[in-house]
């Protein structure tokens, strides 16, 4: 484990094997590298990954199988590794399996965790299972508070757990001062931006402007620097990386699995797969074309945040506010499925509103990563369903029991209902718009799922 200086903001997941640490680790970090295994007692390496919750960065450590891997803990090198992991923690999350109730191995790890003197939060996992949900109270016996019920596999309660964790991290100076101390931020905190669009709309000009015209950007916006080599740029501490700019200028069409597609579309698809936010560049002088919709569709399907950049605005500026309004309406009509995307009128030639574009990209990325706590979400559900009860295509009366945000990037919500059903598409749209309004999910797609059951009576649970 690292030296004392690295202690700030280290969150350690501890607990006996098979309680769901690895699942929780993947859920929080978004990493897929840690292999989840169902074999009890499987020893894995200690894994670390950068994570963040509501703007607070921390390092997450999964202790894998180090607790409970040995029958003779005092003699075992693995046990020593576990003790070291706990000593280096700023907050310990003791993970338990609610289905099993409190078992002796939990008590051992709990005692070890308490001895460190560092804050401990108890996560009772697998509460999607009724047996677990009913045994949560039992865990107060471990004398650890708070006790947070979660279902790592489904994301239930994970936001509440992170709220509890982050509020117990040591107070620090501003995030900027810390970032400066730590040197360049972790690769994972980079914001990947895809600049996509038809040929000749000005994509290369825009990238060049953003990464090369350093002086102009710097003079307009304090804190802007650039790294021309990799098409990277830093803006107010946010590191932006423009993905896949190399092949931007290849024109024409390609054959791909028997279909002929435009290079722009294929490139867009590749870039958005890697991106947090897609800037869809359209030509203001040319108007919106069918291919613009296909390209934007790729970004939406990939779950990217979207900002629409109406480029070459210098050419149409003279035409006045009426043109401007009409243009935006045309964009909205052609790109209905991306109605959440902000539209900016820019010029890659004159640099007009380029700083504003970057600011929007950063805002959209933040919105896309936002997480709403379950409690807050359920107050939302109560409010919006009171105004408009759910509508489903079927005939049965639908009631939303509760909802939870199971993921972010893009924000993904599960609505648990009394009957297995779908919402009518207009009702989904209503929910999406209200979510956007209430929690500021601007510029990001929102995914909704509907599931039956999930309450304490376990009605109609689907696994
Ligand atoms: P670890 O050994 O503590 O890292 O546990 P894993 O993350 O490998 O999970 C052990 C098993 O529990 C796996 O089969 C997971 O799929 C399962 N599991 C993890 N979280 C949940 C959950 O929230 N609900 C249910 N029902 N199973 C879970
Ligand atoms: P790409 O194919 O999308 O990468 O487009 P380019 O960046 O190569 O630009 C295509 C043409 O449009 C070039 O002749 C650019 O000089 C011109 N262009 C790009 N941006 C602007 C702009 O904001 N205003 C004007 N007037 N011309 C632009």
């Amino acid at each position: 484990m690292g030296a004392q200086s690295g202690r700030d903001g280290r969150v350690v997941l501890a607990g006996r094997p098979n309680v769901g640490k690895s699942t929780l680790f993947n859920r929080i970090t978004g990493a897929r590298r840690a292999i989840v295994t169902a074999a009890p007692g499987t020893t894995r390496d200690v894994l670390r990954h950068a994570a963040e919750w509501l703007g607070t960065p921390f390092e997450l450590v999964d202790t894998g199988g180090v607790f409970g891997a040995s029958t003779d803990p005092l003699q075992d090198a693995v046990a020593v590794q576990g003790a070291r992991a706990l000593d280096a923690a700023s907050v310990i999350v003791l993970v338990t399996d609610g289905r099993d109730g409190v078992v002796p191995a939990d008590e051992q790890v709990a005692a070890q965790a308490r001895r460190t003197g560092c804050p401990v939060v108890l996560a009772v996992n697998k509460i999607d299972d009724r047996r677990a949900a009913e045994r949560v109270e039992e865990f107060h016996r471990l004398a650890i508070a708070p006790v947070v019920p979660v279902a790592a596999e489904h994301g239930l309660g994970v936001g509440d757990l992170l709220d509890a964790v982050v509020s117990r991290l040591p107070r620090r100076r501003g995030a900027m001062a810390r970032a400066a101390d730590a040197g360049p931020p972790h690769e994972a905190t980079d914001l990947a931006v895809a600049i996509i669009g038809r040929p000749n709309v000005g994509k290369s000009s825009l990238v060049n402007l953003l990464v090369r015209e350093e002086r102009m950007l710097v003079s307009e916006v304090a804190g802007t620097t650039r790294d021309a080599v990799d098409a990277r740029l830093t803006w107010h501490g946010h590191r932006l990386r423009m993905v896949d700019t190399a092949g931007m200028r290849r024109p024409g069409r390609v054959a791909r699995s028997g279909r002929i597609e435009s290079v722009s579309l294929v490139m867009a698809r590749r870039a958005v797969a890697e991106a947090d936010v897609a800037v869809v560049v359209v030509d203001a002088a040319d108007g919106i074309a069918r291919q613009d919709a296909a390209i934007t569709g790729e970004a939406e399907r990939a779950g990217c945040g979207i900002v629409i950049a109406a480029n070459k605005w210098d050419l149409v500026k003279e035409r006045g506010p009426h043109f401007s309004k009409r243009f935006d309406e045309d964009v909205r009509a052609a790109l209905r499925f991306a109605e959440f995307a902000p539209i900016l009128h820019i010029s890659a030639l004159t640099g007009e509103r380029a700083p504003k574009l970057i600011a929007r990209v950063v805002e959209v990325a933040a919105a896309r990563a936002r997480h709403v706590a379950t409690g807050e979400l359920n107050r939302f559900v109560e409010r919006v369903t009171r105004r408009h009860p759910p509508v489903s295509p079927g005939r049965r009366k639908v009631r939303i029991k509760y909802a939870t945000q199971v993921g972010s990037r893009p924000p993904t919500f599960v609505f648990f209902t009394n009957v297995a059903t779908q919402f009518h598409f207009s009702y989904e749209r209503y929910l999406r718009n209200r979510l956007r309004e209430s929690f500021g999910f601007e510029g990001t797609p929102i995914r909704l799922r509907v599931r039956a059951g999930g309450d304490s009576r376990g009605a109609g649970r689907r696994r």
Side-chain angles (χ1 to χ4, degrees):
M1 291 291 117
Q4 289 288 324
S5 65
R7 278 188 62 153
D8 240 23
R10 178 174 296 162
V11 178
V12 175
L13 303 178
R16 61 191 175 84
N18 232 27
V19 291
K21 296 184 296 299
S22 170
T23 308
L24 190 56
F25 180 86
N26 290 353
R27 167 71 59 189
I28 295 170
T29 60
R32 311 207 191 289
R33 256 168 298 167
I35 295 154
V36 178
T37 133
T42 313
T43 308
R44 285 190 314 268
D45 286 343
V46 171
L47 281 169
R48 308 144 164 245
H49 204 284
E52 188 216 87
W53 180 243
L54 303 177
T56 307
F58 56 90
E59 183 186 44
L60 190 66
V61 179
D62 174 11
T63 56
V66 304
F67 293 99
S70 167
T71 48
D72 188 1
L74 291 176
Q75 300 295 316
D76 201 297
V78 177
V80 172
Q81 207 187 344
R84 263 205 234 133
L86 292 185
D87 281 339
S90 4
V91 175
I92 296 168
V93 179
L94 175 61
V95 187
T96 59
D97 185 336
R99 296 184 306 198
D100 298 338
V102 179
V103 303
D106 293 330
E107 285 172 337
Q108 277 165 26
V109 188
Q112 236 181 312
R114 275 194 308 261
R115 271 199 298 274
T116 62
C118 110
V120 187
V121 175
L122 179 58
V124 179
N125 191 27
K126 311 193 186 180
I127 52 134
D128 53 301
D129 189 310
R130 184 169 26 137
R131 285 171 297 168
E134 283 164 359
R135 297 186 78 159
V136 172
E137 288 307 306
E138 187 183 314
F139 283 85
H140 288 285
R141 229 174 71 198
L142 291 173
I144 291 172
V147 176
V148 188
V150 300
E153 208 158 77
H154 311 281
L156 273 172
V158 173
D160 301 340
L161 178 67
L162 289 172
D163 284 344
V165 165
V166 164
S167 68
R168 284 168 177 77
L169 284 171
R171 278 224 167 281
R172 306 161 331 218
R173 290 167 296 131
M176 284 302 154
R178 262 176 60 78
D181 290 350
H186 190 276
E187 196 61 23
T189 64
D190 273 11
L191 213 85
V193 182
I195 311 274
I196 56 177
R198 285 184 288 136
N200 274 324
V201 292
K203 297 181 298 298
S204 325
S205 307
L206 181 60
V207 170
N208 287 342
L209 170 83
L210 295 181
V211 300
R212 215 176 28 183
E213 306 258 338
E214 176 185 17
R215 242 154 298 137
M216 187 198 74
L217 284 177
V218 168
S219 64
E220 283 188 23
V221 186
T224 308
T225 56
R226 55 114 185 161
D227 174 354
V229 184
D230 290 333
R232 283 167 191 267
L233 106 144
T234 304
W235 185 81
H236 289 287
H238 299 276
R239 302 216 313 174
L240 275 66
R241 182 167 57 92
M242 319 290 163
V243 299
D244 210 16
T245 53
M248 221 165 231
R249 314 213 63 170
R250 263 179 294 144
R253 311 186 151 265
V254 287
R256 197 169 183 277
S257 45
R259 283 180 302 162
I260 305 293
E261 290 186 307
S262 76
V263 169
S264 310
L265 195 62
V266 174
M267 295 234 343
R269 188 175 304 142
R270 200 167 62 195
V272 296
E274 220 194 303
D276 298 298
V277 179
V279 174
V280 179
V281 185
V282 298
D283 189 323
D286 226 27
I288 204 92
R290 224 178 50 201
Q291 240 214 324
D292 293 321
I295 288 167
T296 313
E298 295 291 343
E300 198 280 334
R301 259 195 302 285
C304 279
I306 301 176
V307 176
I308 297 163
N311 190 35
K312 310 195 187 178
W313 204 258
D314 54 295
L315 297 178
V316 300
K317 216 155 83 169
E318 309 289 83
R319 303 198 207 170
H322 181 66
F323 172 84
S324 174
K325 188 163 167 281
R326 269 282 303 281
F327 183 86
D328 287 3
E329 283 166 5
D330 287 351
V331 171
R332 289 293 175 226
L335 311 178
R336 244 176 239 293
F337 53 89
E339 61 185 353
F340 52 83
I343 305 172
L344 272 91
H345 303 155
I346 69 162
S347 170
L349 195 71
T350 67
E352 243 171 305
R353 274 181 295 276
K356 181 121 189 235
L357 175 67
I358 304 176
R360 286 322 267 281
V361 165
V362 170
E363 280 164 22
V364 165
R368 182 168 171 271
R370 194 158 291 147
H371 203 291
V372 182
T374 302
E376 206 179 336
L377 193 58
N378 283 311
R379 284 191 290 279
F380 164 86
V381 166
E382 231 182 87
R383 213 166 52 234
V384 300
T385 56
R386 207 182 313 126
R387 240 186 297 157
H388 289 286
V391 183
S392 89
R395 260 183 295 156
R396 294 177 66 178
K397 205 168 159 93
V398 186
R399 193 166 51 80
I400 301 175
K401 291 174 170 172
Y402 65 96
T404 185
Q405 182 172 354
V406 295
S408 58
R409 301 183 168 101
T412 305
F413 297 88
V414 177
F415 289 82
F416 290 91
T417 52
N418 57 331
V419 286
T421 187
Q422 290 295 311
F423 293 139
H424 191 270
F425 75 88
S426 63
Y427 196 73
E428 283 208 1
R429 196 184 137 102
Y430 167 71
L431 284 178
R432 264 195 210 98
N433 289 341
R434 295 294 84 76
L435 280 168
R436 242 180 217 115
E437 233 168 59
S438 306
F439 304 110
F441 288 116
E442 204 209 1
T444 176
I446 293 178
R447 305 282 192 244
L448 296 187
R449 290 188 219 138
V450 186
R451 293 239 180 92
D455 76 349
S456 57
R457 290 181 303 280
R461 190 171 31 248
R462 239 167 38 185
R463 288 287 335 253

